[in-house]
Amino acid sequence: MATETRPTPAELHALDLQDRVVAGLRAQGYDGAPTALEPMLGGHSGLTYRITLGEQSFVVKAVPPGQRAIGRHDMLRQARIMAALADTDVPVPRICATDETEPGWFAMSLVPGESLEPVLDDPAVEPALAAARMLRAAEILPRLHRVPLDRLPVDADPLSPADELARWSRTLGAVPPELVPGADRLERLLADATPAAVAPVLVHGDYRLGNLLSVGTEPAALIDWEIWSPGDPRVELGWFLVFADGANFPGVGRIVPGLPTPEQLVERYADGATPPAELTWFDALGRFKMAAIMGHNLRRHREGRHHDPAQELLPATIARLIETGTDRLT
């Protein structure tokens, strides 16, 4: 006698979401026979799918079932900022449909391109191409920082350098000290020399080649807007510089010959103007932030909350980030 197989809750959620997405896209004038929602890799703050109607393809991001649409899970917040940037010179996907009914979702145009971090991701990017993409990313970043905040759906107060340090200190504080040796000293050095904030700008929050779709050397779309905010542009620049040197990631990354130096990237970002002040502190903050994130992930793995043997490769990188961050402030 055959055993009846019932759909799992995840499958039922996907079927319901499929119907809602197709109806929402058709309401916006998109037509054609739909494909099934196809899960896409990448991103940890929501569910990401691909769907095609006729000859048009879309990326759908949805709030996971059982999650509230707040913080990183607020998909519609991402849609609002990308829609606001649509007529600027910041490359973003086109927002095609949104639905605020819980669990909320939005659909955006599927932008062709690669979003690979040369020093971390596979497949490896050819060195000359990686260098060209990094320089172009340094040219795109000031476009983001020039967008007037009064034309954006700003929903929070600006984050100062002190606020950023406090945020990542909280993350680090939940990590056992033996997983992040020396981080307490780096934290004190950062606290003792925290720069005053400059005029706030739009900050993506995770600006790097891994979040910038490129076609050849040209940036096609900046994606993954989970943690955008108004803030200090130097925080973003310091974070970007962490990924300019594979030596920052022993055991998990690679050395890519010919990548631009941090000085060259800052020069390209400044575009003939005076480079931002006190960047050494923000460089060190970027390393502190990455060490806190990796320490958090390693802790979750060792506690059995998210089993991933690859996390056991992180201790050497965590140590290197803390050591080099400390060296920059002493």
Side-chain angles (χ1 to χ4, degrees), residues 40-208:
M40 298 179 69
L41 298 177
H44 304 285
S45 301
L47 302 173
T48 305
Y49 301 94
R50 174 176 177 163
I51 191 171
T52 298
L53 268 66
E55 297 182 354
Q56 300 179 86
S57 294
F58 308 88
V59 174
V60 176
K61 301 197 76 170
V63 177
Q67 295 283 355
R68 297 177 60 197
I70 58 175
R72 290 173 177 264
H73 295 300
D74 189 347
M75 298 298 107
L76 276 300
R77 184 175 185 270
Q78 297 180 51
R80 287 191 290 273
I81 188 63
M82 285 187 277
L85 293 171
D87 61 351
T88 71
D89 58 359
V90 178
V92 292
R94 182 178 72 259
I95 301 302
C96 302
T98 61
D99 185 352
E100 297 191 12
T101 304
E102 293 188 1
W105 60 269
F106 72 89
M108 58 186 167
S109 57
L110 182 110
V111 179
E114 289 185 332
S115 54
L116 294 170
E117 201 62 63
V119 302
L120 286 173
D121 292 341
D122 291 316
V125 181
E126 191 274 325
L129 180 58
R133 286 179 177 175
M134 192 159 280
L135 287 169
R136 288 292 287 128
E139 293 171 347
I140 294 297
L141 185 55
R143 297 186 191 177
L144 180 71
H145 294 165
R146 285 195 296 263
V147 178
L149 287 178
D150 60 8
R151 63 178 296 171
L152 301 176
V154 173
D155 54 8
D157 292 332
L159 295 174
S160 68
D163 294 330
E164 289 283 353
L165 177 58
R167 167 190 283 187
W168 298 109
S169 293
R170 287 192 294 271
T171 300
L172 188 77
V175 179
E178 63 270 18
L179 300 185
V180 284
D184 54 345
R185 183 183 180 213
L186 176 54
E187 183 179 1
R188 289 194 300 271
L189 290 169
L190 288 164
D192 290 344
T194 305
V198 297
V201 301
L202 172 61
V203 172
H204 176 273
D206 191 13
Y207 188 87
R208 53 190 178 86

Side-chain angles (χ1 to χ4, degrees), residues 161-173 175 180 182-191 238-239 242 281-296 317-318 320-326 328-329:
D163 294 330
E164 289 283 353
L165 177 58
R167 167 190 283 187
W168 298 109
S169 293
R170 287 192 294 271
T171 300
L172 188 77
V175 179
V180 284
D184 54 345
R185 183 183 180 213
L186 176 54
E187 183 179 1
R188 289 194 300 271
L189 290 169
L190 288 164
W239 178 247
V242 171
W281 188 91
F282 293 93
D283 185 342
L285 176 69
R287 294 162 193 268
F288 178 80
K289 172 181 173 180
M290 178 61 82
I293 292 170
M294 288 184 166
H296 169 76
T317 284
I318 293 171
R320 176 70 61 84
L321 291 165
I322 293 170
E323 290 168 4
T324 54
T326 300
R328 278 156 173 74
L329 297 179

